[in-house]
Amino acid sequence: ERFAELSGRYEDLRIAVVGDFCLDRYLEIDPARQETSIETGLPVHNVTRVRAQPGGAGTVLNNLVALSVGEIIPVGVTGEDGEGWELREALRHKPRVKLDHWQTAPDWQTFTYCKPLVMHPGRAPEELSRLDKKNWKPLPAAAEERVRASIRELGRYVHAFILLEQVDLPDTGVLTPVALEEFRALRRESPERLIIADSRRGLAHFPPLVFKMNAAELARLLGT
């Protein structure tokens, strides 16, 4: 009864998801249609279906959609490329997702995991080597400033923030030092505000928020 009471309030919540939204693109390959390239003599994998869905911080957003959270606001940046268009379209078609704080940036690549899957009948797909597209340079200053302004504005509106840093190279994603400093200020102003953070490269550089981590990540953070 208590769980039903709590989960029944999900639809009243407003949650912002801030961080590195990725495009997960799956290429389904039919092994029965394999050919050999005339030009190179190498195998040709014929793709029979392409699926695209939000990954990284988009996975957090997908879970919030599944939980029927009332309003979900992604704060992210994509490039002006085809992958960015696919990612925005995938987000736009999800219920209760508001794209008012979404932005595109020129000279910026949309973080993409391209996953070829050989679809064998009667067993799990076989994943081939991934083809990833990442950024290797800092977020443009104009985009960084708009992210900072969004954090400030949403701090007066949402019930909670969830932060996800997906990038491996420092400062090449959305949660730059400028963005994290804004969350530090928000934490000082509203200590009761729930801000949950997760980062695949560790949380030592984050301000004191609520940290989500596994045992190995906790050990790295504590140096033990």
Side-chain angles (χ1 to χ4, degrees):
E1 291 177 357
R2 177 61 173 154
F3 178 78
E5 178 187 354
L6 292 170
S7 59
R9 295 172 58 191
Y10 291 169
E11 62 185 13
D12 299 325
L13 295 177
R14 300 185 297 270
I15 299 179
V17 182
V18 186
D20 301 322
F21 288 80
C22 311
L23 180 72
D24 283 342
R25 178 186 279 155
Y26 297 91
L27 309 179
E28 296 189 1
I29 297 165
D30 184 352
R33 297 180 182 274
Q34 182 168 310
E35 301 173 328
T36 301
S37 169
I38 296 175
E39 291 79 12
T40 66
L42 298 174
V44 174
H45 301 292
N46 277 295
V47 176
T48 56
R49 183 187 179 205
V50 179
R51 294 184 285 114
Q53 65 186 45
T59 300
V60 177
L61 181 141
N62 293 336
N63 292 336
L64 295 175
V65 169
L67 290 170
S68 298
V69 168
E71 188 172 340
I72 307 159
I73 306 167
V75 180
V77 183
T78 51
E80 296 177 347
D81 49 20
E83 291 84 1
W85 183 87
E86 283 187 84
L87 181 51
R88 290 192 302 275
E89 283 297 290
L91 293 171
R92 188 170 67 83
H93 285 92
K94 289 187 177 293
R96 302 178 303 282
V97 172
K98 311 296 184 184
L99 292 175
D100 300 345
H101 292 268
W102 191 264
Q103 58 170 308
T104 60
D107 196 27
W108 180 257
Q109 291 196 127
T110 302
F111 196 148
T112 305
Y113 290 121
C114 190
K115 305 177 180 182
L117 301 176
V118 182
M119 308 301 290
H120 297 286
R123 59 188 175 96
E126 174 192 358
E127 184 171 342
L128 305 181
S129 297
R130 277 204 331 247
L131 304 171
D132 293 350
K133 191 173 80 166
K134 301 180 181 181
N135 283 291
W136 306 105
K137 54 189 175 183
L139 185 69
E144 183 179 52
E145 176 56 29
R146 288 194 294 271
V147 169
R148 187 206 63 77
S150 290
I151 296 168
R152 173 59 52 178
E153 180 179 342
L154 290 170
R156 299 187 292 268
Y157 179 69
V158 299
H159 295 98
F161 287 90
I162 302 178
L163 319 184
L164 190 283
E165 184 177 57
Q166 184 77 4
V167 298
D168 301 301
L169 193 63
D171 305 334
T172 58
V174 170
L175 291 171
T176 65
V178 169
L180 293 178
E181 189 56 38
E182 195 63 42
F183 280 112
R184 186 186 300 275
L186 182 61
R187 184 70 170 176
R188 286 195 300 263
E189 296 167 11
S190 304
E192 75 288 350
R193 179 84 59 188
L194 179 60
I195 308 174
I196 304 173
D198 187 11
S199 171
R200 66 183 302 159
R201 68 185 186 92
L203 290 153
H205 60 292
F206 273 64
L209 308 173
V210 176
F211 292 161
K212 175 264 174 187
M213 63 185 75
N214 59 33
E217 292 165 340
L218 177 60
R220 284 200 304 272
L221 179 67
L222 300 178
T224 185

